[in-house]
Amino acid sequence: MDRVIELGPQFLEATIETIVLVAVGVTVGGLLGLVIGTGLYVTRKGGLLSNGVVNLLLNIVVNVFRPIPFILLAVGLQPLVRQVFGVGIGNVAAAVVIVFAAAFGIARIVEQNLVSVPPGVLEAARAMGASRTRVIFTVLLPEAFGPLILGYTFAFVAIVDMTAIVGTIGAGGLGNLALQYGYRQFNPWVTWSAILIVIVIVQLGQFAGNAGARKVLRR
């Protein structure tokens, strides 16, 4: 326990690093996932912007990258990240990998939630003269907003898990702290303290997501 107190500044720094990585993953990965997921839905057969070629290409890309275990993806993307961003390790590289993985995972979540929107609502909007683009932004996405919040909450938890793994490519955060000062130094107090902080972060995110979804769905 004394070691945990001694590592107080490191715990604070690691917690901040974890929160920043999660925020980047949810924000940037979430936006990219929203675009890809919406594209998957609207370009499918009978969709608002039906396009078989585009839909097939999007499905292939998502199906190729989404099932790859995150640890393998982080290692596999390292040379590309180094080539593009000039660094292959550290928090910047970790953020890029997290965004990449989150985007494709969230894309499927978005697509699945958009499918739940009754087609009749979209058809009614089109019958009233709304353009396809307007239907997407003023009818489709708002109608799915509640379920999307729950979907993004699920993604939030998954991204927190990713931040614990990116220590393998030299990133900071609670996962790296638990590995470096807990596991490698045989100190379970440090490991479990890091785990408890992760649990708190997840619970706060889950609570906020559930509360937001309930508020939207009651309208």
Side-chain angles (χ1 to χ4, degrees), residues 11 26 28 37 41 43 53 56 59 96-97 112 153 164 203-204 211:
F11 268 103
V26 172
V28 182
Y41 177 77
T43 59
V53 175
L56 177 61
N59 269 295
V96 174
V97 174
Q112 290 163 6
T153 303
Q203 290 301 314
L204 290 174

Side-chain angles (χ1 to χ4, degrees), residues 17 22 24 34 51 60 90 102 121 128 132 184 186 201 207:
E17 287 176 331
V22 171
V24 171
L34 181 64
N51 189 312
I60 290 174
V121 175
M128 294 174 64
R132 290 179 173 84
R184 290 176 180 168
F186 305 100
I201 293 173
F207 176 79

Side-chain angles (χ1 to χ4, degrees), residues 96-177:
V96 174
V97 174
I98 289 173
V99 166
F100 190 91
F104 293 113
I106 291 173
R108 282 300 184 200
I109 293 174
V110 170
E111 181 191 22
Q112 290 163 6
N113 283 306
L114 294 181
V115 170
S116 67
V117 177
V121 175
L122 306 181
E123 293 170 3
R126 287 288 292 148
M128 294 174 64
S131 66
R132 290 179 173 84
T133 303
R134 186 173 182 181
V135 171
I136 292 171
F137 288 103
T138 63
V139 180
L140 177 63
L141 293 177
E143 282 290 324
F145 192 45
L148 282 174
I149 292 176
L150 292 176
Y152 273 76
T153 303
F154 175 82
F156 168 84
V157 176
I159 292 171
V160 173
D161 291 342
M162 293 179 194
T163 65
I165 298 174
V166 289
T168 57
I169 56 173
L174 291 165
N176 180 61
L177 185 145

Side-chain angles (χ1 to χ4, degrees), residues 4-133:
V4 174
I5 297 174
E6 181 184 335
L7 290 171
Q10 285 88 339
F11 268 103
L12 178 60
E13 181 181 358
T15 301
I16 293 173
E17 287 176 331
T18 294
I19 292 173
V20 170
L21 286 172
V22 171
V24 171
V26 172
T27 304
V28 182
L31 288 173
L32 292 173
L34 181 64
V35 172
I36 297 170
T38 304
L40 283 166
Y41 177 77
V42 299
T43 59
R44 61 171 51 196
K45 185 177 180 179
L48 290 167
L49 300 172
S50 181
N51 189 312
V53 175
V54 173
N55 187 262
L56 177 61
L57 291 174
L58 287 175
N59 269 295
I60 290 174
V61 172
V62 173
N63 289 338
V64 166
F65 289 105
R66 191 172 69 93
I68 300 175
F70 181 71
I71 181 65
L72 297 181
L73 187 64
V75 175
L77 286 177
Q78 196 173 17
L80 178 62
V81 173
R82 182 183 292 109
Q83 188 71 27
V84 176
F85 294 91
V87 290
I89 61 174
N91 289 335
V92 173
V96 174
V97 174
I98 289 173
V99 166
F100 190 91
F104 293 113
I106 291 173
R108 282 300 184 200
I109 293 174
V110 170
E111 181 191 22
Q112 290 163 6
N113 283 306
L114 294 181
V115 170
S116 67
V117 177
V121 175
L122 306 181
E123 293 170 3
R126 287 288 292 148
M128 294 174 64
S131 66
R132 290 179 173 84
T133 303

